[in-house]
Amino acid sequence: MYKLYYYPGNASLAPHMLMEELGVDYELVYVDRNKQAHKSPEYLALNPSGRIPVLEDGAMVISETAAICLHIADRHPEGRMIPDITTPERAKFYQWLMFLTNTIQTEFLVYYYSDRYSSDASDAPAIKEAAEQRLMSYFDIVEAQLAKKGPYMMGKAVSFLDFYLLMLCRWGRFLPTKPNEMKHLGKHVKLMSKHPAVLRTFEQEGLEAPFA
Ligand SMILES: N[C@@H](CCC(=O)N[C@@H](CS)C(=O)NCC(=O)O)C(=O)O
């Protein structure tokens, strides 16, 4: 049985949706960010970066959202949440996963934690504004991919990239140009919002239905 350390709406949302989609056995462990539980010695022993999520798979402890999702998808190939290793789609999948985690997700850290990016607190609004512009340009790139290849990130079949992207679109709900108001991203969000696994996950985390 897996154990997912989560906080509602945090990066734990992607592996949570993935596990729901796959119907695997898992337990949720609430990490109370309001009490700084993610910086407690117990949590830091699991993930020294003090970031959410963490996955326990038996004796193995894994951090980093993309690594967690890859591990789960690889462990359950019958769920087809990642293209087969023998296909060219696998390489394109890696490309988009890295773009989502390395570029968009990382930029959201700058956007949401802009005060951490300068020793001068008065810089934070400008840092946030620049991150906002970059985020919107990155969502334009995803929009173009969906226009070309949609409705899902890998074409006709859903993969865990789509759950990852839904999480990032939700984080983008305060951007001046909201991903869910863009033509193809909006269609993607609508499509994903109907997935029973998504609805169950949002309900379990106490989040309002996505973009309702
Ligand atoms: N690269 C990490 C980033 C995870 C991350 O930044 N999680 C946020 C929540 S969405 C967090 O734990 N923030 C608390 C903090 O930075 O203090 C991953 O993908 O797992």
Side-chain angles (χ1 to χ4, degrees), residues 2-13:
Y2 297 111
K3 234 187 215 186
L4 178 68
Y5 292 75
Y6 87 108
Y7 184 84
N10 276 196
S12 36
L13 191 57

Side-chain angles (χ1 to χ4, degrees), residues 86-147:
T86 57
T87 63
E89 284 76 33
R90 180 79 166 215
K92 292 305 284 180
F93 181 96
Y94 286 145
Q95 176 200 303
W96 285 110
L97 177 61
M98 296 313 143
F99 187 69
L100 296 186
T101 186
N102 234 4
T103 302
I104 303 190
Q105 186 183 354
T106 305
E107 198 64 55
F108 269 120
L109 296 179
V110 183
Y111 175 78
Y112 279 115
Y113 306 117
S114 44
D115 55 315
R116 293 183 185 169
Y117 289 79
S118 168
S119 50
D120 182 346
S122 69
D123 291 337
I127 291 171
K128 187 174 178 122
E129 200 184 319
E132 190 171 84
Q133 294 305 317
R134 285 191 296 270
L135 278 167
M136 291 190 295
S137 74
Y138 300 151
F139 278 114
D140 282 343
I141 292 171
V142 179
E143 172 75 3
Q145 163 70 4
L146 289 174

Side-chain angles (χ1 to χ4, degrees), residues 7-13 33 36 38-39 43 47 49-54 63-68 101 105-106 109 112-113 116 164 167 171:
Y7 184 84
N10 276 196
S12 36
L13 191 57
R33 285 192 61 169
Q36 294 293 302
H38 56 310
K39 307 296 178 196
Y43 192 82
N47 183 4
S49 78
R51 300 288 176 96
I52 297 165
V54 160
S63 57
E64 291 300 319
T65 313
I68 291 172
T101 186
Q105 186 183 354
T106 305
L109 296 179
Y112 279 115
Y113 306 117
R116 293 183 185 169
Y164 218 108
M167 174 182 82
W171 292 358

